[in-house]
Amino acid sequence: MPVGEDQVQHLELSREVARRWNQRFSPDAPFFPEPAALLTKSRRIMGLDGKAKMSKSLGNTVGLLEPPEAVWEKLRPAVTDPARVRRTDPGTPEVCNIYHLHSAFSPPAVVEDVAVKCRTAGWGCIDCKKVLFETMNTELAPIRERAAHIRETPRLVNDTLEEGADRAAAVAERTMEAVKARMGFAE
Ligand code: SF4
C-alpha cells in the first residue's frame, strides 16, 4: 500500500488486526492479507524552510498545481546546506532539501550530477535550483493539465466516485459474507 513514512504506524495497526483475525478465524489459510507499506526512496520531504515537514500552516510548501512562476518564487529563497556560505564552499547534498527534491523529481543521472557538483562546489545553489525547477516543471506539467481538465468537467469526478463506490460496495458485501461465515454468523 503506498503510504508516507508517517502512516506506517497506522498501517501496522491494520496488519495487527488482520493477523489476529486470521489466527483466530482462518488459521489454516490467511483470509485477510497483511498490507505492506510501499515507500518510495523520497519517503519524507521537508518544507522549503528546511526545519519541519511541509505544512500549509507553516507556509513552507510547494503546491503541485501552483503555476511555475509561483513555484520558482518559493524555490529561489529555499534553505540549502548551511555549509555553503560562499559559491566556492563544498556542500553535503544529503543534508539539503533541494537535493531530496531532486531525488523525487529529477532523472537519476541528474541527481548524481547534482551530488557531484554540490560536493565539489562545481556550481552554486541557485544553478542547482534552476535545474530542479526545470525537472519539476517537466513532471508537473501533465499533472496540471489533467487537473485543469478535471476542473472543467466536474461530472467526470462525480461519475468516477460513484462508479468506485459501487465497485467497493460489491467487494465489501462479498467480503462481509465470507467474514460472517468464518465467524459463525452466517444467516
Ligand atoms: S548545490 Fe544543490 S544540493 Fe548542494 S547545497 Fe546547494 S542547493 Fe543543496
Side-chain angles (χ1 to χ4, degrees), residues 80-81 84 93 96 98-99 114 118 123-125 128:
T80 62
D81 177 1
R84 294 213 70 191
C96 176
I98 296 297
Y99 176 69
V114 168
C118 181
W123 65 359
C125 290
C128 185

Side-chain angles (χ1 to χ4, degrees), residues 116-131:
V116 171
K117 285 182 171 153
C118 181
R119 283 188 223 287
T120 59
W123 65 359
C125 290
I126 206 75
D127 304 315
C128 185
K129 289 172 177 178
K130 280 180 187 165
V131 173

